[in-house]
Amino acid sequence: MSGGLYRSANAAQGGAAPGRPSDGATFISAEPLNQPAMESTAPPQEQVAEASAAANSAVMAMGSLVSRGTGFLRNLVIAAALGGALVGDAYTTAQILPGMVYEFLLGGVLTSVLIPVLVRRRKSDADGGQAYAQRLLTLAVLALGVAALLAVLFASTLTWLYGSGESTDGYSGLVTALARLMLPMIFFSGLSALISAVLNTRGHFAAPMWAPILNNLVVIATAGLYIAIFGADIIKPDEMTTGRILLIGGGTLLGVAIQAAGLLPALRKVGFRWKLRFDFRELGLRELGRLGAWMFCYVAVSQIGLIVLFNLLNRAGRENAAGPLIYNNVFLLLMTAHGIIAVSIITALMPRMSAAAADGRYADVAADLSRGTRTVTAVLAPIAVCYAVLASPISFTLFRWGAFDEGNATATSVVLLAAALALVPFAVSQLFTFAFYALPDTRTPALINIPVVALRIGVQIVLFAVFSASFAGAGMMIGNAVSYLAAAIASAWLLRPRVGRIGLGEIMRTGARVAVAALGAAVVGLIVVKLLPGDDTPSRLEAVVQLVVGGAVIGGTYLGLAMVLRIGEITEVVGMVRRRLGR
């Protein structure tokens, strides 16, 4: 589901889904970082292949941009229709449930095990892996169908598990009613993912990139219709009539179903014929189980963290504080910055690190890891500063619409301020996790994830117990930040015996210069914003002015200080831009 609701939440607990970039990842070529592209001197046949790859990259990049844009608009319209109180929290919790079941059954295993197996079968089998893919799809459809049916039957149990027990205000009943409509998304989400995997292994990337946009448009239209019929008013859970529930829940399910259906024509286009095959012994299930065991462990541990997270958020939401919907909106902002910048860097480095590891050139792996860490830190730091300093104008500009009132926007700004602390640690921890996958090694990240999630849960519970409910959403983000930092440190420590020194001294020196530049930009930005019209609860016009002026001042100050401090990862980008503009 584009819009990243359950993927965002899963990422909040254990990083982006293991083995793949975050949802809607920006695709760039695997050229050395900070170096301009060179003109091709390849033979004509290779130039054709390069042109095809470039075309695929352009399609994926454009699809990613539109998908992220419509996904973000989707969340804004849902928030405007339902508000940031209990009804919006119930919808968010109900929508998270099918995603969690899907990830538990298939998500991590699909990306880390099934896709590589499909690629190998595509190359080794006489029929190009068609029979194998048919068997896999048949088994997956049956398993997903049974899982969706069981989930619907046990919807009330899932509500109790993630929704913080029973309630007397109609909240649990609303979550369960919405969940019964949305849980069949398990089937359609899994089907979409499997079809996309088959298409990608056959060199078709356009449909998997664009199909989620259909989902977003359907949900946007559903929320718009909801507002047109019922209005954008804040209501209580027991005021959600059957018509309201059917419209918003059924429209969300319809979006995922249309996304899956939109991929079917592309299967015929690549020559794949869907035929039911029940000779599952030929799949090598024992091998698949062995390969996927550690990834299953990774996902299972992350689910425990999600259960705790949503229990605490739902408890806070019942006390009129930031709950699941507000938390998810903020995390979507976090993932947007990570996806556009950090995932682009990881996407560029991953093939290089994998090739170097395969050749035994571990020093090159360490060098790429060091450079990636420095680049991610330097580029994401000013965005983190913007999230912190401009938390109020961002929240009031983006989310203050319809039933999402001033109190919801203020609560969002507090969570966003805390989320700024998590942005860089999250991106760095993800980079180190993907370094393990490049070796390749899924066992170590799974083992690291156990104490990391335990630490996260401990910090979140302590903060929830010590502070008031109004701080709960921010406390969850702080718990995330602490655990991401711990994951990065543990990963670096365990990677060193494998790849050698990763240039910790150089990383620390760059980090110190980045911290100085970021602090300077934050101080200047804060002063400017305080001088502008509007306070902590600005009007929409005041919020827009604060956002535009404050963002420009923060960006300009950081860039200037980075040049003075000679932060190489920034100065090289500036130099490259100057060279290209001077052509």
Side-chain angles (χ1 to χ4, degrees):
M1 299 180 318
S2 187
L5 186 67
Y6 68 78
R7 286 180 184 172
S8 294
N10 197 41
Q13 297 311 301
R20 69 167 178 248
S22 301
D23 188 27
T26 303
F27 181 88
I28 62 175
S29 62
E31 294 175 340
L33 296 180
N34 302 326
Q35 292 186 16
M38 299 179 65
E39 294 183 4
S40 175
T41 58
Q45 297 90 339
E46 295 183 18
Q47 290 183 15
V48 171
E50 288 178 4
S52 176
N56 284 334
S57 299
V59 169
M60 292 176 70
M62 181 59 68
S64 173
L65 181 63
V66 178
S67 179
R68 285 185 179 279
T70 56
F72 197 80
L73 179 60
R74 160 197 175 129
N75 277 39
L76 295 185
V77 178
I78 287 291
L82 303 180
L86 289 179
V87 172
D89 289 342
Y91 174 88
T92 305
T93 303
Q95 194 183 5
I96 216 78
L97 297 180
M100 295 305 97
V101 176
Y102 161 75
E103 286 290 337
F104 188 78
L105 291 175
L106 185 63
V109 175
L110 172 69
T111 53
S112 64
V113 178
L114 297 186
I115 289 179
V117 170
L118 284 172
V119 171
R120 290 199 300 270
R121 291 290 188 144
R122 174 75 171 157
K123 294 180 179 179
S124 62
D125 291 1
D127 64 348
Q130 178 138 297
Y132 187 88
Q134 289 170 344
R135 295 184 192 100
L136 184 61
L137 283 172
T138 301
L139 178 61
V141 165
L142 292 174
L144 289 167
V146 171
L149 178 60
L150 290 175
V152 171
L153 292 176
F154 290 95
S156 59
T157 302
L158 290 172
T159 297
W160 178 85
L161 196 60
Y162 286 87
S164 188
E166 294 295 329
S167 65
T168 58
D169 55 5
Y171 182 79
S172 297
L174 177 58
V175 174
T176 301
L178 288 168
R180 288 199 174 104
L181 287 170
M182 296 185 191
L183 281 167
M185 293 193 304
I186 296 167
F187 177 83
F188 295 108
S189 296
L191 188 62
S192 295
L194 286 164
I195 294 175
S196 297
V198 172
L199 291 173
N200 286 342
T201 58
R202 284 160 171 75
H204 187 90
F205 301 96
M209 185 59 68
W210 289 91
I213 298 170
L214 297 175
N215 178 7
N216 290 334
L217 293 177
V218 170
V219 178
I220 290 170
T222 297
L225 184 61
Y226 181 97
I227 293 174
I229 296 175
F230 301 110
D233 301 317
I234 300 175
I235 62 175
K236 297 178 180 179
D238 53 14
E239 294 178 290
M240 281 289 286
T241 62
T242 301
R244 290 173 182 261
I245 294 171
L246 288 175
L247 177 57
I248 201 70
T252 304
L253 172 62
L254 179 63
V256 183
I258 289 178
Q259 175 180 331
L263 292 169
L264 294 177
L267 280 179
R268 299 191 65 86
K269 184 177 180 180
V270 299
F272 181 83
R273 296 296 179 265
W274 194 323
K275 178 182 177 182
L276 294 177
R277 288 179 177 267
F278 297 95
D279 49 340
F280 299 139
R281 289 180 179 272
E282 301 298 322
L283 283 173
L285 294 176
R286 180 173 297 179
E287 178 189 4
L288 292 178
R290 179 180 57 82
L291 292 172
W294 285 112
M295 191 55 64
F296 182 83
C297 174
Y298 186 106
V299 174
V301 171
S302 296
Q303 298 309 300
I304 297 173
L306 276 168
I307 291 172
V308 174
L309 172 74
F310 271 82
N311 267 273
L312 296 178
L313 288 173
N314 275 300
R315 291 174 187 270
R318 290 177 189 173
E319 297 184 35
N320 297 319
L325 185 141
I326 289 175
Y327 176 93
N328 185 73
N329 283 345
V330 171
F331 201 86
L332 182 61
L333 284 174
L334 206 67
M335 291 299 293
T336 298
H338 169 76
I340 293 174
I341 296 173
V343 170
S344 298
I345 295 171
I346 292 172
T347 303
L349 288 177
M350 189 65 179
R352 292 159 49 109
M353 291 193 295
S354 298
D359 295 339
R361 296 181 283 109
Y362 296 113
D364 291 343
V365 175
D368 281 336
L369 191 57
S370 176
R371 176 166 45 182
T373 301
R374 299 194 309 272
T375 303
V376 164
T377 302
V379 177
L380 285 180
I383 299 177
V385 171
C386 286
Y387 282 172
V389 175
L390 306 177
S392 288
I394 289 174
S395 300
F396 277 79
T397 299
L398 294 181
F399 299 110
R400 176 67 178 90
W401 302 94
F404 201 89
D405 61 17
E406 180 180 296
N408 297 150
T410 300
T412 301
S413 67
V414 176
V415 181
L416 182 57
L417 174 61
L421 301 174
L423 180 57
V424 172
F426 174 67
V428 172
S429 69
Q430 283 294 285
L431 178 60
F432 279 102
T433 298
F434 275 79
F436 279 110
Y437 296 151
L439 288 177
D441 176 8
T442 59
R443 176 177 178 270
T444 304
L447 293 175
I448 291 174
N449 200 38
I450 296 173
V452 165
V453 171
L455 174 64
R456 179 182 305 130
I457 290 173
V459 173
Q460 290 173 338
I461 290 177
V462 168
L463 291 177
F464 185 86
V466 171
F467 295 96
S468 64
S470 61
F471 187 73
M476 301 304 103
M477 286 295 182
I478 292 174
N480 290 341
V482 171
S483 67
Y484 298 152
L485 182 60
I489 294 172
S491 297
W493 182 59
L494 292 174
L495 272 170
R496 181 173 176 178
R498 306 278 296 275
V499 302
R501 294 179 179 273
I502 61 173
L504 183 60
E506 191 172 3
I507 291 173
M508 295 298 291
R509 286 191 292 272
T510 298
R513 290 196 291 267
V514 167
V516 172
L519 181 61
V523 171
V524 175
L526 190 60
I527 292 173
V528 170
V529 169
K530 290 298 181 183
L531 293 175
L532 291 172
D535 50 21
D536 292 335
T537 56
S539 66
R540 180 162 291 110
L541 179 59
E542 291 171 340
V544 171
V545 171
Q546 290 178 357
L547 182 58
V548 172
V549 176
V553 168
I554 290 171
T557 303
Y558 180 82
L559 183 60
L561 289 173
M563 299 298 289
V564 171
L565 295 170
R566 297 181 180 180
I567 300 175
E569 291 68 28
I570 301 297
T571 58
E572 288 180 18
V573 172
V574 172
M576 181 180 68
V577 172
R578 285 177 176 174
R579 288 193 298 272
R580 292 192 173 183
L581 292 177
R583 288 181 179 178

